[in-house]
Amino acid sequence: MGKFIIFGMLFYIFGNPFIAIIVLLLIVYVLDRRFVGVFPSITRPIQRARQISKLRKNIAASPSDVSSRHELARLLIERRKYGEALKLLESISESLQDSAEYWDDIGTARLKTGNTAQGEADILQALDINPRVKYGRPYLRLADAFRTADSAKALDYLQKFHTMHSSSSEAYYLLGTMYRVLGQRQESKEAFSESMSVYRSLPKYKRRQERKWAVRSFWRNLF
């Protein structure tokens, strides 16, 4: 009801229904980014492109800059440029043998470029160095990698992720999403319901960062 009232006010102000709709959508987007966070950031791709450009310049000026190469590889993985990221990560392998984050990154790049066996071994190496590296997300990547080839292994990795989290709405949302991919619909709905339940149990100061996952779980649980 409130949205119709706001739309009516905007239509009265601008005198054009299309402009009123655009302004209403912008208002909804701004409020979401401020209080919920379901919608993706429209500025993140621009910021990432600038970071990539800056890191490329740093590497051109200092080819032995390991930290710049690693950070550039991470950003390229975000952009799904896995082949280029893999080449960068392989070039700094000797310097980061003890880094769990490095092994997870190179394992992810290898999984995405078709080298599943080595990618799995790399990610397991990351988890051996630090079982809680990246809050257990490596287990989700492994579950995703084996969702069609070996569903039993995929479910096993999901359970390992599950055991690491008991008070995170985001974790249950991710768990529910992976169960849905694996065709475990009932388990998926239970995970989404648990995500909402966890959110309701959180103290107020924690709800802001977890709210978007509870909202996403609500919508995913409807379908």
Side-chain angles (χ1 to χ4, degrees):
M1 186 65 181
K3 292 180 180 178
F4 289 109
I5 295 174
I6 295 173
F7 174 76
M9 293 174 60
L10 292 172
F11 178 61
Y12 176 78
I13 293 170
F14 294 105
N16 185 308
F18 297 106
I19 295 177
I21 290 172
I22 291 171
V23 173
L24 178 60
L25 290 175
L26 285 173
I27 292 172
V28 171
Y29 176 81
V30 170
L31 290 175
D32 170 79
R33 293 301 301 169
R34 175 65 179 84
F35 297 106
V36 183
V38 171
F39 297 146
S41 170
I42 59 175
T43 62
R44 174 57 184 161
I46 298 172
Q47 294 171 346
R48 184 170 55 207
R50 288 175 178 171
Q51 287 178 286
I52 288 174
S53 178
K54 180 181 178 181
L55 288 167
R56 290 192 192 280
K57 290 177 182 177
N58 290 348
I59 293 169
S62 179
S64 60
D65 187 341
V66 173
S67 62
S68 290
R69 283 177 176 269
H70 193 186
E71 183 60 25
L72 177 57
R74 285 178 174 174
L75 293 173
L76 290 172
I77 288 172
E78 282 187 24
R79 293 188 64 182
R80 302 183 181 182
K81 293 188 175 183
Y82 303 113
E84 186 179 355
L86 180 57
K87 290 179 181 178
L88 281 166
L89 291 165
E90 288 176 338
S91 73
I92 56 176
S93 175
E94 292 184 6
S95 302
L96 296 173
Q97 289 293 303
D98 297 326
S99 169
E101 289 79 5
Y102 168 78
W103 285 109
D104 178 58
D105 291 333
I106 196 169
T108 299
R110 283 177 171 148
L111 286 177
K112 296 297 185 179
T113 53
N115 193 346
T116 304
Q118 187 59 54
E120 180 187 22
D122 292 337
I123 291 179
L124 291 176
Q125 173 74 4
L127 291 164
D128 185 59
I129 294 171
N130 178 6
R132 300 193 66 84
V133 61
K134 297 183 182 178
Y135 305 101
R137 278 184 171 80
Y139 286 121
L140 291 176
R141 280 190 278 279
L142 290 172
D144 182 58
F146 288 99
R147 69 183 187 276
T148 55
D150 191 337
S151 59
K153 181 180 281 191
L155 288 170
D156 180 60
Y157 282 133
L158 269 187
Q159 288 302 319
K160 288 178 179 177
F161 173 78
H162 187 202
T163 58
M164 295 179 63
H165 298 279
S166 60
S167 59
S168 170
S169 184
E170 178 186 7
Y172 279 106
Y173 170 79
L174 295 173
L175 188 66
T177 301
M178 279 306 307
Y179 273 131
R180 184 69 58 87
V181 169
L182 290 167
Q184 305 286 320
R185 193 165 185 83
Q186 183 58 38
E187 289 83 354
S188 174
K189 290 180 73 67
E190 289 174 1
F192 290 137
S193 295
E194 189 64 27
S195 172
M196 293 181 284
S197 177
V198 166
Y199 171 77
R200 289 190 292 269
S201 70
L202 292 173
K204 289 184 178 179
Y205 75 91
K206 285 272 293 180
R207 288 189 179 186
R208 169 64 183 88
Q209 65 191 72
E210 295 280 302
R211 188 174 297 133
K212 66 180 179 181
W213 304 112
V215 172
R216 289 180 178 180
S217 294
F218 172 78
W219 287 110
R220 294 296 294 270
N221 211 24
L222 292 178
F223 305 101

